[in-house]
Structure formats: structure tokens, C-alpha cells
Amino acid sequence: MMRGGRCGPGGGGLESIERYNDLVVGAYIWVPDDDHPGAAAAELANLPFHWLREWTLWVDVECGSRPDTVLHRLYGTVTFFEPDTGQMGFSPTGGHPAVALPVHRIVALSGDRQRRGPGQVPAHEPVDEH
């Protein structure tokens, strides 16, 4: 589900564009459900993904086996979302290979108000060092 302001069940149209705009500038943070499929994944599926490739976003990803997981923040672009499989494609900055992230391992996704353009963000950084 989106955090940081008003949001309701997605249906496309103007409401979807407003959520998209708030997401890419960091006014909203998308926080997926732990289980697939969930309401947050359905909301993400309503966003215009072909536009997300134009913006540098960050995604916090849970890595490792539970309960010994660590969080990493990746910067890059969302390339696809497959609601049926629960996979989100993400292309990290710096020319790193694209990855498919399972939605249940994503903790949060949003834009960065200060660092939006190419060359302004690292490829990744540990979350606990912020």
C-alpha cells in the first residue's frame, strides 16, 4: 500500500497518475504486502510502468535467509511488474545487470527528492548506514 498520503483502491485514470507522480518524487512510499497476491501489489499494477523507466527510484530489499536478513537499498529504474508471478524488474544504476525482485522481499519503493538524475545516486547502499 502507498504510505505518506491519501490513497484508495486503484482503478487507473487520473488517480493512478497522481499516485505515480507522488511515487516518483518521493511523496509516497509503496510498501508491498508480505503475501502474494495482495492489495498493494494490485495497486502497483495500476501504475503506468512504461513511465517509471524515466525516473531513478530506490527500493529497499530484504536479502538473505530469514531470520538473519539484512536490508539493502538499490537505486535504479523499475522495468516491469508481473502481478501474476509477484516479480518486479529493477535495473540498478551504474550499468549493473537488471534483477527480478520477488515482491515479498521488497520492503519499500519510492523516488528520491534530492537525487533524481543519472550519476547522482550510488548503485546500492546498506540501509543501516543511513
Side-chain angles (χ1 to χ4, degrees):
M1 78 185 72
M2 299 285 214
R3 302 290 169 101
R6 172 185 72 77
C7 77
L14 183 57
E15 186 176 314
S16 177
I17 298 300
E18 290 171 357
R19 284 195 310 265
Y20 164 82
N21 288 336
D22 288 342
L23 176 70
V24 298
V25 299
Y28 275 125
I29 297 174
W30 179 72
V31 179
D33 307 299
D34 195 36
D35 296 322
H36 174 75
E43 184 173 356
L44 188 65
N46 286 324
L47 295 177
F49 271 89
H50 58 284
W51 290 343
L52 284 178
R53 294 179 186 150
E54 300 174 11
W55 295 93
T56 298
L57 303 176
W58 57 261
V59 61
D60 287 346
V61 181
E62 179 184 46
C63 301
S65 300
R66 292 180 180 171
D68 300 320
T69 60
V70 294
L71 287 178
H72 282 276
R73 177 164 288 173
L74 303 176
Y75 290 90
T77 56
V78 174
T79 57
F80 68 85
F81 177 64
E82 296 175 348
D84 295 338
T85 64
Q87 299 283 315
M88 183 178 80
F90 196 79
S91 182
T93 60
H96 297 280
V99 294
L101 303 173
V103 170
H104 70 276
R105 299 305 298 260
I106 298 173
V107 176
L109 170 73
S110 191
D112 192 315
R113 291 176 189 255
Q114 280 72 43
R115 302 183 294 184
R116 294 188 191 156
Q120 293 181 306
V121 297
H124 72 282
E125 58 191 3
V127 174
D128 59 354
E129 291 184 10
H130 290 290

